Amino acid sequence: MNNLFPIFLKLENLHTLIVGGGYVGLEKITAVLDNSPLAKVTLVSPDIRQEIRDIASQNSRISLIERKFEDTDLLAKDIVIVATNDKEENIRIASIARAKNILTNVADTPAICDFYLSSVVRKGNLKVAISTNGMSPTLAKRLKEVLGEALPDNLETAMEQLKAVRDMLKGDFAYKVDELNRITSVLTQKKDEAEN
């Protein structure tokens, strides 16, 4: 049973700490910035890949600290992503962060994560996040590919039109929801019903 609560964060309003500057650190900072280009990120690691340095050189909201993690690195951070190649250090950092009530993700260690990074399908302003409850990131990646191909490219136009309709509707919240549900019900009709 997947009991995860899906949520979309405005990382530009938060400060994210990434611990680890290797391949996994690169993967994590890339995922963060692909979804939230204005995210404020500090990355700490004694060794930082050139690709990460290149990303940081083009983004003033990224700070690189080239040294081992120190407990004080958690000050004024809202989210921590731990991606070192030292499992014991990862567990230690997660424990300290949790004691400070900072949400933490530890790469490849779902049991001690507060949240997972999901596979994301993007079509303009539409984002669909996929979670396998930490069981299979590979399956999530494949589902992302399937959904990306299945969702039409013109969804942005439909969203703009529905927003315009929502903005024009008069009445209370419940009325607006009912009207938008009625208008969009065609999207969930089975193919044979739509043809009749």
Side-chain angles (χ1 to χ4, degrees), residues 166-167 169-181:
R166 184 187 73 198
D167 292 345
L169 287 174
K170 305 291 184 223
D172 63 12
F173 179 76
Y175 171 76
K176 290 179 181 182
V177 169
D178 287 344
E179 279 299 296
L180 288 170
N181 282 338

Side-chain angles (χ1 to χ4, degrees), residues 106-152:
V106 181
D108 296 324
T109 317
I112 61 172
C113 291
D114 295 317
F115 67 94
Y116 304 134
L117 302 179
S118 56
S119 284
V120 178
V121 179
R122 283 185 289 265
K123 294 281 183 166
N125 279 305
L126 177 72
K127 279 189 181 180
V128 179
I130 302 166
S131 167
T132 61
N133 204 18
M135 292 177 65
S136 180
T138 302
L139 177 60
K141 179 181 174 185
R142 293 299 170 229
L143 288 172
K144 170 186 172 179
E145 293 168 359
V146 169
L147 284 173
E149 290 177 15
L151 292 170

Side-chain angles (χ1 to χ4, degrees), residues 67-98:
R67 61 162 167 69
K68 287 186 68 112
F69 169 83
E70 296 175 3
D71 296 2
T72 56
D73 292 328
L74 294 170
L75 293 173
K77 303 305 184 300
D78 301 295
I79 293 177
V80 179
I81 299 172
V82 186
T84 79
N85 58 5
D86 181 338
K87 277 207 175 280
E88 288 182 19
E89 178 68 352
N90 291 350
I91 292 167
R92 186 185 80 78
I93 294 168
S95 175
I96 297 166
R98 186 162 294 114

Side-chain angles (χ1 to χ4, degrees), residues 22-32 52 117:
Y23 177 78
V24 179
L26 173 62
E27 182 182 89
K28 300 305 181 186
I29 197 169
T30 301
V32 166
I52 295 172
L117 302 179

